[in-house]
Amino acid sequence: MKKAIVCLGVLFTLVIITASNGNSQIKPGAIDSIRLTDKDLPDGFIYGTVPEPYKKTLKNNPWTMDRAAIKRLADKIYPGGDYNKIVSIHVSIIADKSTPFGDDIVCYVILFTNMKAAQEEIRKATEFTGYNSDRSLLVTRDNMAVIFFVDDISNFHYIQELAKTVEERIKGL
C-alpha cells in the first residue's frame, strides 16, 4: 500500500513538473500576434520585394519559412544557428519605398523547439548581436527570439522602435 502511494506521489509530481514546464514555452501560434504588421512599418518603408533568384528560398514577404528555408538560412541569421532546434521562423523584410528590392530592415521571429534549445541558440544570437550592436537588436522570451537587423546605422532608431512594439506584444502573451 505504501509503495502504491509513493508511486502515485512521484507520478503526480512528475505530471505537475511537466505541465508547468510546458506552460512556460511560447506556442507557434503566438508568432502571429508578435510579428510585424503593415501598421508597424516606419513612414517611407514598405515590405520589400523578394528578387526572383531568391524566391526559391524566400517564397514571400512577410513569410513564415518552410523547413527547407529554415535549414538553408538558420546559420545565416546568426552564426552557428542550428535549424534542428528551430520550430518556426517568421521573416519580415522592410525596404525603403525608393528601393523595393532592398533589405533595409529585417526582422526574424524565431521559435525554438524547447527551453534547452532556446538557451543554447539565444546565447549564440546574443553574442552575434553584441558584436553587431550598431546594426542589430535582440528581444527574447522563453523559447522565442526576435532579431532585428538594419543595413544603415542611421536607421537604427527604427529597429529600436520596432523592438519596443514587439516587447509590448510579447508582454501581452
Side-chain angles (χ1 to χ4, degrees):
M1 182 71 168
K2 287 184 180 182
K3 287 182 180 180
I5 292 173
V6 170
C7 285
L8 285 174
V10 169
L11 185 60
F12 183 70
T13 303
L14 288 173
V15 168
I16 289 180
I17 290 170
T18 303
S20 66
N21 284 343
N23 290 339
S24 68
Q25 290 189 163
I26 296 173
K27 306 291 185 237
I31 289 178
D32 288 334
S33 60
I34 293 169
R35 68 181 182 85
L36 299 179
T37 66
D38 294 340
K39 295 175 188 169
D40 300 323
L41 302 182
D43 288 338
F45 288 84
I46 58 171
Y47 285 120
T49 303
V50 178
E52 207 55 48
Y54 299 107
K55 286 190 176 183
K56 179 181 178 187
T57 301
L58 296 174
K59 295 180 174 62
N60 210 344
N61 181 37
W63 182 54
T64 300
M65 294 182 185
D66 58 21
R67 288 306 304 166
I70 292 171
K71 185 176 181 178
R72 189 173 290 130
L73 296 176
D75 67 344
K76 310 279 188 283
I77 297 170
Y78 59 93
D82 185 348
Y83 70 90
N84 292 308
K85 296 179 181 178
I86 297 172
V87 173
S88 184
I89 299 177
H90 186 277
V91 61
S92 299
I93 303 168
I94 302 167
D96 189 292
K97 285 182 180 178
S98 64
T99 56
F101 288 96
D103 60 349
D104 299 294
I105 300 170
V106 180
C107 174
Y108 295 101
V109 181
I110 305 171
L111 187 68
F112 300 102
T113 55
N114 56 49
M115 293 301 290
K116 182 179 180 199
Q119 289 173 346
E120 294 168 9
E121 295 303 294
I122 288 171
R123 180 187 49 76
K124 295 174 197 175
T126 300
E127 185 175 332
F128 177 70
T129 57
Y131 286 127
N132 296 285
S133 60
D134 60 339
R135 296 181 187 275
S136 62
L137 285 174
L138 177 66
V139 176
T140 65
R141 177 172 170 206
D142 299 333
N143 61 321
M144 179 178 281
V146 182
I147 304 174
F148 295 93
F149 296 102
V150 65
D151 273 349
D152 184 348
I153 59 174
S154 67
N155 290 330
F156 187 79
H157 66 283
Y158 291 130
I159 64 172
Q160 288 176 313
E161 293 167 16
L162 292 171
K164 287 178 188 175
T165 300
V166 167
E167 283 177 332
E168 288 302 313
R169 290 180 184 154
I170 289 174
K171 286 179 187 175
L173 292 177

